[in-house]
Amino acid sequence: MTGGVRIPLNDYGVLGQPPAPGEWTPTLTVSVVIPAHRAEHTLPLTLASLARQTYPAHLTEVVVVDDGERPAPPPSVSSTASSTGRPSTAPCAGPSPDAWPVSSAWPVSSAGPVPERLRVVRPRDGAWGRASACAAGAEAAEGQVILYLDADLVLFPEHVEAQMRWHHLADHLVVLGHLRFVPGLDEIPASEVLAAVEAGTVDKLFAEEDTTPQWTEGRWDQTDDLRAAGFTAFSVMVGATASLPAALLRAAGGLDASLVLGEDTELGYRLAQAGAVFVPDRRARCWHLGRSTVMRREPEVKRHNWPYLAERVPVFRWLRRHPHRTYLVPYVEVVVDAEDASFEEVRATVDGVLAGRLPDVRVTVTGPWGRLRGGRRDPLGDPSLDLRLMLACYEGEPRVRFRETVPDDCFPVPFRFHCPPGWVPSRGTIGAVVKHADRQRLGIVSLALDEREDGEVVHARLERTAAVTRARRCARPGDDLDDLIHEMFGTVWDAGDKWGLLPAESAASAGSVDGAGGAGSTGKAGGTAPPGPGRAWTGGSGASPGAGGSSGRSGAGPSGSGRPGSEGSWAGRLGLRRSGSGRSGSGRSKSGGSGSGRSASEGSWAGRLGGRRFGARRFGARPLRRTARLLRRRLRALVRKDRPCPASV
């Protein structure tokens, strides 16, 4: 098993065909976790089918989580919860049904064989629900892989082995089993099911035409078994039969025990952000006895789940229709490095972000906040005055937070946008860049803004969390993360002004077409308006950054001479997918050479960027309603200018 396999998007086909069941030698241990609530009639059948699996018994343990209301099993077979708060466990002393702790409440005649290594655990006092039960089972599990099963499944003999063969190929796979819904025990006797399990004829219990496929099977068919599902593969994760490495489960934070329904979808989302690849296996077959809750009460399940998922799964954009709401997990984290910037530059950038059309955005301002001390000081001569003003400016803004440093990724937030201070996005900039990254399935989008005199390129950068964590998981010593992201997801450079990302001076002098200019915006209707996403800057009162009209400001303060970027230096090098250093935290990237000094124009570096793989795609003209609003403002300004002064009374 190796984590170094580089799987593009969700196309696990690069792993090749896994070995056929029975033709390989397993080495990984697996813990089968079964949450059980009112399953006294079906669980014995599930355990019996687990006892007849082809995966080696010495590598398999079964952990049943008793989530019922009945009292805990007697001390002879179950220890009470320890003082550390860990769930109580009861190891089963052999395969005899009499030693099965939960069987005392069920007819022994219905119990068949049980797995050799069987334990029963109970959640912590007061905890209930499937998510809590699964969390308790995973905490007690000792296997390298966790396989979640519902307590009303009858497995085909190769079910566990079919899933486990994938986990021997890579350590970041989530494998989904293949189930079909069949009549319940009210239509077929449990003894008949048990007889088929013991005879090894589970596949002959039901005819294919008498079964109902799970809804996920349609998605498998549409996406070549999820190979073409891209970033949405997680949405078909159903916890009825799913396996994943225990380390990956821990990295994703485990199941959210506060959820009583929809916990598998929410876990799938976080696993995707942790770099997981989702693999459905049609050979991991099983029968689901009876219809599921979703099949019986689908409208009620959706009504219950959607508010919870809207708060926790930001990529479900159809659940977040409100234009001004914030949510538990934001859609984009915007990082602004304030260490070498002025208060005005940081305020212009942050205000521009907060005024955007994307409401579920969180802003993280990084800087040396530990430098600030209390006590008497000169309020106007304080060397840390700018930092204090930043804190004071957003003291009451819940969407802005201040950090000394930023973690390597923003898990579980799906996107992080690094924006240098002093550059102001238009209202639609961030949303448009994110849509572009989604449509083109990109891991990184870098937007060139300006070149400093020392050759550093000032740029903004959108990073996809799933791509960054996948690259970090697959990296070997000496690997460059940006190279891995480019290989597995794709990266691209583009011109920042094309997406409406302008220096604060240009944004302020141009006014705010959308009614949300940067800090210090005059709000005047006159002048040339900053371009919207997908529109290149064409001149006027403000000039394109890096095209001869820059004031010389950059993300780290004045650049010196304000020399325009040249095609022979950074502009020409933007024909490459990225610049040399790959730094993202400060929004700057090194690039050698000073170039010829020739002003970059639409026909030089901007044109070159527009001709790149994804750069030529433009996102249409400004919506007509904004154009009409701009014309109305200008008309009112002209009327006020020409209106005669009223006569004095």
Side-chain angles (χ1 to χ4, degrees):
M1 180 179 67
T2 175
V5 182
R6 302 172 183 181
I7 301 175
L9 296 172
N10 204 69
D11 187 8
Y12 55 88
V14 298
L15 297 174
Q17 287 295 325
E23 298 181 3
W24 62 297
T25 303
T27 58
L28 295 178
T29 57
V30 57
S31 295
V32 181
V33 176
I34 308 175
H37 175 67
R38 297 179 180 175
E40 55 268 20
H41 300 297
T42 58
L43 180 58
L45 305 177
T46 303
L47 294 176
S49 64
L50 278 169
R52 296 292 183 259
Q53 290 294 299
T54 60
Y55 199 74
H58 71 280
L59 296 176
T60 306
E61 71 164 350
V62 178
V63 180
V64 175
V65 186
D66 180 9
D67 189 32
E69 292 85 1
R70 69 179 65 84
S76 60
V77 295
S78 176
S79 61
T80 58
S82 67
S83 59
T84 60
R86 290 179 61 86
S88 61
T89 62
C92 180
S96 170
D98 294 334
W100 178 15
V102 226
S103 65
S104 58
W106 305 328
V108 177
S109 60
S110 67
V114 295
E116 293 181 11
R117 300 175 60 203
L118 172 65
R119 291 188 290 152
V120 175
V121 304
R122 288 182 61 84
R124 293 182 176 88
D125 291 340
W128 63 277
R130 188 181 187 279
S132 294
C134 288
E139 187 177 353
E142 299 174 353
Q144 295 166 282
V145 175
I146 305 294
L147 170 57
Y148 288 116
L149 287 179
D150 277 357
D152 48 7
L153 301 182
V154 178
L155 312 181
F156 287 35
E158 69 279 3
H159 186 96
V160 175
E161 182 183 1
Q163 293 201 34
M164 288 300 296
R165 58 191 180 144
W166 289 99
H167 295 296
H168 287 71
L169 300 181
D171 66 355
H172 54 286
L173 304 182
V174 178
V175 184
L176 310 176
H178 181 254
L179 64 83
R180 286 292 183 100
F181 295 95
V182 298
L185 296 182
D186 54 340
E187 298 184 37
I188 179 172
S191 58
E192 184 177 337
V193 177
L194 187 60
V197 170
E198 300 233 29
T201 58
V202 174
D203 58 326
K204 295 181 172 56
L205 264 174
F206 304 95
E208 193 78 11
E209 57 269 16
D210 296 332
T211 65
T212 303
Q214 194 176 32
W215 67 269
T216 57
E217 194 170 333
R219 289 286 307 278
W220 296 6
D221 295 338
Q222 296 166 3
T223 58
D224 190 20
D225 283 349
L226 299 185
R227 290 184 183 91
F231 302 112
T232 64
F234 78 89
S235 62
V236 299
M237 179 175 176
V238 177
T241 165
S243 60
L244 69 163
L248 179 63
L249 179 64
R250 290 191 295 269
L255 279 97
D256 186 346
S258 68
L259 299 177
V260 294
L261 288 176
E263 76 289 336
D264 45 6
T265 301
E266 192 274 338
L267 174 62
Y269 163 75
R270 282 187 286 112
L271 288 169
Q273 305 314 307
V277 174
F278 295 83
V279 181
D281 193 323
R282 296 179 186 264
R283 297 194 67 169
R285 302 177 65 194
C286 61
W287 301 129
H288 187 290
L289 299 174
R291 304 172 68 200
S292 67
T293 303
V294 176
M295 296 172 69
R296 291 183 283 108
R297 307 172 67 179
E298 181 178 0
E300 297 171 81
V301 170
K302 289 182 176 179
R303 180 176 183 268
H304 177 278
N305 289 354
W306 284 357
Y308 291 96
L309 295 180
E311 289 290 331
R312 294 164 173 81
V313 185
V315 297
F316 287 169
R317 304 308 295 162
W318 47 278
L319 291 178
R320 296 189 174 188
R321 297 296 191 185
H322 198 285
H324 304 296
R325 269 210 55 191
T326 56
Y327 296 87
L328 189 63
V329 179
Y331 190 38
V332 180
E333 179 187 58
V334 179
V335 177
V336 182
D337 184 6
E339 183 170 3
D340 298 319
S342 68
F343 162 63
E344 289 74 18
E345 289 175 324
V346 171
R347 183 180 180 184
T349 301
V350 175
D351 282 357
V353 171
L354 296 179
R357 291 195 185 89
L358 204 60
D360 45 348
V361 171
R362 180 177 67 198
V363 181
T364 299
V365 184
T366 61
W369 310 112
R371 181 192 304 170
L372 303 180
R373 296 287 186 269
R376 184 181 294 275
R377 64 182 184 277
D378 180 359
L380 300 182
D382 185 359
S384 300
L385 176 60
D386 281 43
L387 294 176
R388 296 185 189 277
L389 294 178
M390 295 173 201
L391 288 172
C393 186
Y394 299 104
E395 187 175 1
E397 175 53 68
R399 289 190 289 168
V400 178
R401 62 179 188 171
F402 298 87
R403 296 289 185 270
E404 291 278 339
T405 58
V406 180
D408 292 334
D409 58 71
C410 58
F411 175 91
V413 182
F415 293 99
R416 173 181 281 174
F417 187 71
H418 295 272
C419 188
W423 293 82
V424 181
S426 73
R427 293 188 65 190
T429 294
I430 297 177
V433 176
V434 169
K435 285 183 180 179
H436 182 57
D438 271 342
R439 289 171 181 171
Q440 303 295 346
R441 299 187 172 185
L442 298 171
I444 296 176
V445 177
S446 299
L447 303 179
L449 303 174
D450 199 2
E451 182 193 19
R452 299 181 60 187
E453 189 176 45
D454 58 3
E456 269 192 279
V457 176
V458 181
H459 71 280
R461 171 176 164 122
L462 179 75
E463 298 173 344
R464 186 185 298 273
T465 301
V468 173
T469 52
R470 174 91 61 82
R472 188 171 290 114
R473 183 174 296 276
C474 296
R476 301 184 181 94
D479 283 345
D480 181 83
L481 288 184
D482 281 17
D483 286 335
L484 294 178
I485 295 172
H486 181 68
E487 180 179 344
M488 293 187 288
F489 297 88
T491 63
V492 67
W493 276 91
D494 212 339
D497 60 336
K498 172 180 173 181
W499 299 92
L501 190 56
L502 303 174
E505 295 85 350
S506 298
S509 63
S512 173
V513 179
D514 302 318
S521 173
T522 62
K524 296 185 295 182
T528 304
R535 299 294 300 275
W537 186 271
T538 56
S541 62
S544 171
S550 172
S551 65
R553 286 191 177 272
S554 70
S559 64
S561 66
R563 179 173 55 86
S566 63
E567 184 181 7
S569 55
W570 69 281
R573 284 191 298 277
L574 288 177
L576 302 174
R577 64 173 182 83
R578 62 182 179 85
S579 57
S581 74
R583 287 182 55 196
S584 62
S586 64
R588 301 186 294 270
S589 176
K590 286 280 185 183
S591 120
S594 61
S596 63
R598 181 165 57 87
S599 174
S601 64
E602 189 71 24
S604 56
W605 69 270
R608 291 166 66 92
L609 286 173
R612 285 183 46 74
R613 176 186 172 193
F614 305 121
R617 188 182 186 94
R618 302 206 176 233
F619 280 82
R622 182 188 298 110
L624 292 178
R625 61 179 180 274
R626 283 188 283 158
T627 304
R629 185 163 61 246
L630 174 62
L631 292 175
R632 286 196 299 269
R633 289 179 180 175
R634 291 183 175 177
L635 180 60
R636 285 196 296 268
L638 291 174
V639 171
R640 285 194 298 268
K641 181 178 180 181
D642 296 336
R643 180 181 301 168
C645 296
S648 299
V649 178

